[in-house]
């Protein structure tokens, strides 16, 4: 049994042809991998990529707010446009109906005169009544009656006189009836008016309640 020589340690065997640098390369590679795997230091500040994303998000929010405001404004303008078109449509329809019925007024006047003279008979009566019914369905209304107070907004006075039995200006004859559509007058009623007699005192009874005719009746016959 051989004795070991003191002071000498066994060294790992190095393959034949390998150098010391070749043995150090695995250690350097392992050190590089450890450095690469080590996490980068977290300083708390956003990275450049995060800053760019936040800026893009702010721009998108601003653009969305602007587009929303534009849409709301467009909707309000559209609603106003629809209301305006509807008002114009109704106004145009009323003007067209009023123009048509105005052209028919002379015919309606002739029908009224024929009725007053008893000439509205036979087939002519049927046609006339059909025409009057159609005009009424389109909204035509006739107005003007004898005995109603004179109103210059709906009456046109063609004749004037005084009468002792009226207390205000009164329509005493309807020369041509007036016509309206709804609240719109398309022709005023043409009338003859009478006013109270100038200087006429209102009728009143005597203090004892008897009228002059009653006193004359109660007086004794003379002679």
């Amino acid at each position: 049994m051989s004795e070991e020589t003191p002071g000498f340690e066994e060294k790992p065997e190095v393959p034949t042809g390998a150098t010391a640098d070749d043995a150090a390369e695995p250690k350097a590679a392992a050190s590089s991998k450890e450095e690469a795997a080590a996490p980068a230091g977290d300083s708390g500040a956003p990275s450049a990529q995060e800053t760019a994303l936040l800026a893009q998000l702010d721009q998108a929010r601003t653009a969305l707010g602007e587009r929303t405001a534009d849409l709301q404004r467009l909707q309000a303008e559209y609603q106003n446009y629809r209301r305006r078109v509807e008002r114009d449509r109704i106004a145009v329809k009323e003007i067209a109906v009023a123009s048509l019925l105005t052209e028919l007024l002379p015919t309606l006047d002739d029908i009224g005169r024929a009725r007053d003279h008893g000439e509205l008979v036979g087939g002519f009566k049927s046609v006339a009544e059909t025409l009057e019914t159609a005009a009424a369905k389109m909204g035509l209304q006739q107005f003007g009656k004898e005995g109603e107070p004179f109103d210059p907004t709906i009456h046109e006075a063609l004749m004037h006189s005084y009468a002792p039995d009226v207390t205000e200006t009164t329509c005493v004859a309807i020369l041509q009836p007036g016509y309206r559509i709804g609240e719109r007058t398309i022709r005023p009623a043409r009338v003859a008016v009478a006013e109270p007699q100038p200087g006429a005192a209102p009728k009143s009874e005597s203090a004892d309640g008897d009228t002059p005719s009653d006193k004359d009746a109660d007086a004794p016959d003379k002679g």
Side-chain angles (χ1 to χ4, degrees), residues 129-201:
E129 291 177 348
T130 301
L131 179 61
E132 291 176 333
T133 301
K137 287 183 178 180
M138 297 177 70
L140 186 66
Q141 299 175 355
Q142 186 183 101
F143 65 91
K145 295 181 180 179
E146 294 183 5
E148 63 185 7
F150 175 76
D151 184 352
T153 61
I154 61 173
H155 296 139
E156 180 181 355
L158 300 183
M159 299 178 64
H160 178 269
S161 62
Y162 294 98
D165 56 344
V166 297
T167 58
E168 60 180 342
T169 304
T170 304
C171 300
V172 294
I174 306 299
L175 306 180
Q176 277 187 330
Y179 290 96
R180 65 166 64 96
I181 301 176
E183 299 297 327
R184 179 179 179 181
T185 300
I186 62 175
R187 190 183 76 180
R190 293 165 179 170
V191 300
V193 299
E195 292 183 350
Q197 192 74 29

Side-chain angles (χ1 to χ4, degrees), residues 46-200:
S47 64
Q49 185 177 5
E50 292 176 347
T51 302
L53 291 175
L54 291 174
Q56 293 178 1
L57 180 60
D58 291 339
Q59 292 177 357
R61 288 175 177 172
T62 301
L64 178 61
E66 293 176 353
R67 300 292 85 78
T68 302
D70 292 341
L71 179 60
Q72 291 174 347
R73 182 168 56 253
L74 183 61
Q75 288 178 339
E77 292 177 354
Y78 178 67
Q79 293 297 331
N80 293 334
Y81 168 76
R82 287 188 60 184
R83 286 193 289 266
R84 185 168 60 253
V85 169
E86 184 65 17
R87 288 195 302 267
D88 293 344
R89 185 186 67 82
I90 294 174
V92 169
K93 179 181 178 180
E94 291 178 351
I95 292 173
V97 171
S99 178
L100 172 63
L101 294 178
T102 300
E103 295 296 327
L104 291 178
L105 294 186
T107 303
L108 295 176
D109 292 336
D110 292 339
I111 292 173
R113 283 190 289 268
R115 181 179 287 110
D116 293 339
H117 290 83
E119 299 175 356
L120 198 63
V121 294
F124 178 56
K125 178 181 179 180
S126 177
V127 173
E129 291 177 348
T130 301
L131 179 61
E132 291 176 333
T133 301
K137 287 183 178 180
M138 297 177 70
L140 186 66
Q141 299 175 355
Q142 186 183 101
F143 65 91
K145 295 181 180 179
E146 294 183 5
E148 63 185 7
F150 175 76
D151 184 352
T153 61
I154 61 173
H155 296 139
E156 180 181 355
L158 300 183
M159 299 178 64
H160 178 269
S161 62
Y162 294 98
D165 56 344
V166 297
T167 58
E168 60 180 342
T169 304
T170 304
C171 300
V172 294
I174 306 299
L175 306 180
Q176 277 187 330
Y179 290 96
R180 65 166 64 96
I181 301 176
E183 299 297 327
R184 179 179 179 181
T185 300
I186 62 175
R187 190 183 76 180
R190 293 165 179 170
V191 300
V193 299
E195 292 183 350
Q197 192 74 29

Side-chain angles (χ1 to χ4, degrees), residues 28 33 35 60 165 178 218:
K33 290 180 180 180
E35 291 177 357
D165 56 344
D218 294 339

